[in-house]
Amino acid sequence: MKFVNLLLDNVKTVALVDTDMRKYWPVAELAPGYAGDMVQLVQDYDRIKTNLVARGAGRPLAEAALLAPIDQPRRNIFCVGKNYFDHAAEFSKSGFDASAKEGEHVPEAPVVFTKAYSTVIGPGAPIPSHPGVASQLDYEAELAVVIGKPGRGIPKARALEHVFGYTIVNDFTARDLQKLHRQWFLGKSLDGFCPMGPVLVTADEVDAGNLDIRCWVNGELRQDANTRQLIFDIPTLIETISAGITLQPGDIIATGTPAGVGIGFEPPRFVRSGDVIRIEVQGIGTLENTVD
Ligand code: ZN
């Protein structure tokens, strides 16, 4: 199943969607007792899922604006740095990584950081360029995991039982701030720095360990990889993060970006106002945003 978060006449509506037919069905009309946002849907899912069947003709997706599937996360977005071999190498070589040990290319353990929850914007929303604050803007195409069942101390072998589904994020980054402040939080957390969407797809619909992931800037293919190439796979990430932190329904884990980001080029190719960033993940869809 695929779900979207829509804005229709200024009212937010979580809906079941058929992206081929471009039709949607509000969850509140299908499932008695459900009221709320996408995180509430994730929490209620086991109770209401038998009701979530498209009934009737549906409504045209064109009449509504798409928001990020989880437009108001309950807490920061968990992120993983340097989680594809080629990207870990390009980042180390770029000189922008103040966190790496001398000569290190591949981390010994997952590099986990967070982005402020306030960074999330929807498909098509402009990404603020923050002139005067940041100047070296970069894109990062990523598969994002959305947690369903809560848990702490989740072993790898059971990790996928805790996944509700998947979406796409652009882990947008100000490289100058990321480098200057050493810790990555500021460079990753400016307002609007987490485009997300277009849909939240349930875990049963995709094989998350084998999805093509691509990113174009102004139509030029920059990133072209597959989630098979993750250094630390999704079960490992869940085991690592949940070891001492209870994961909650609706928590988001951005799994890292492949090679081909702006700082991977010599000289770096940062994005600027007017540039269009399009990210595609197989089985999920296309997330496109323009730098404001
Ligand atoms: Zn990232």
Short mmCIF file of all heavy atoms in Angstrom, two decimals, residues 80 113 140 142 171 188, ligand 1:
data_model
loop_
_atom_site.label_atom_id
_atom_site.label_comp_id
_atom_site.label_asym_id
_atom_site.label_seq_id
_atom_site.Cartn_x
_atom_site.Cartn_y
_atom_site.Cartn_z
N VAL A 80 22.36 8.51 8.61
CA VAL A 80 23.58 7.71 8.60
C VAL A 80 24.52 8.29 7.56
O VAL A 80 24.16 8.46 6.39
CB VAL A 80 23.27 6.23 8.27
CG1 VAL A 80 24.54 5.41 8.35
CG2 VAL A 80 22.21 5.70 9.22
N PHE A 113 23.89 10.41 12.98
CA PHE A 113 23.67 11.79 13.42
C PHE A 113 22.18 12.08 13.24
O PHE A 113 21.43 11.20 12.83
CB PHE A 113 24.55 12.76 12.63
CG PHE A 113 24.27 12.78 11.14
CD1 PHE A 113 23.45 13.75 10.59
CD2 PHE A 113 24.83 11.84 10.30
CE1 PHE A 113 23.19 13.78 9.21
CE2 PHE A 113 24.59 11.85 8.93
CZ PHE A 113 23.77 12.84 8.39
N GLU A 140 21.66 15.08 -1.28
CA GLU A 140 21.98 13.68 -0.95
C GLU A 140 20.71 12.86 -1.10
O GLU A 140 19.79 12.95 -0.28
CB GLU A 140 22.49 13.55 0.49
CG GLU A 140 23.83 14.24 0.74
CD GLU A 140 24.47 13.87 2.08
OE1 GLU A 140 23.81 13.18 2.89
OE2 GLU A 140 25.63 14.28 2.30
N GLU A 142 18.46 9.72 -0.68
CA GLU A 142 18.50 8.63 0.31
C GLU A 142 17.16 7.89 0.43
O GLU A 142 16.09 8.49 0.36
CB GLU A 142 18.86 9.20 1.70
CG GLU A 142 20.14 10.01 1.66
CD GLU A 142 20.79 10.26 3.00
OE1 GLU A 142 20.36 9.66 4.00
OE2 GLU A 142 21.74 11.07 3.02
N ASP A 171 18.74 14.52 1.86
CA ASP A 171 19.45 14.98 3.06
C ASP A 171 20.29 16.19 2.67
O ASP A 171 21.52 16.13 2.57
CB ASP A 171 20.31 13.84 3.62
CG ASP A 171 21.14 14.26 4.82
OD1 ASP A 171 20.82 15.30 5.43
OD2 ASP A 171 22.12 13.55 5.14
N LYS A 188 23.20 20.36 8.49
CA LYS A 188 22.15 19.45 8.02
C LYS A 188 20.74 19.93 8.42
O LYS A 188 19.76 19.32 7.99
CB LYS A 188 22.35 18.06 8.64
CG LYS A 188 23.65 17.36 8.24
CD LYS A 188 23.52 16.71 6.88
CE LYS A 188 24.71 15.80 6.57
NZ LYS A 188 24.53 15.15 5.25
ZN ZN B 1 22.94 11.88 4.19
#
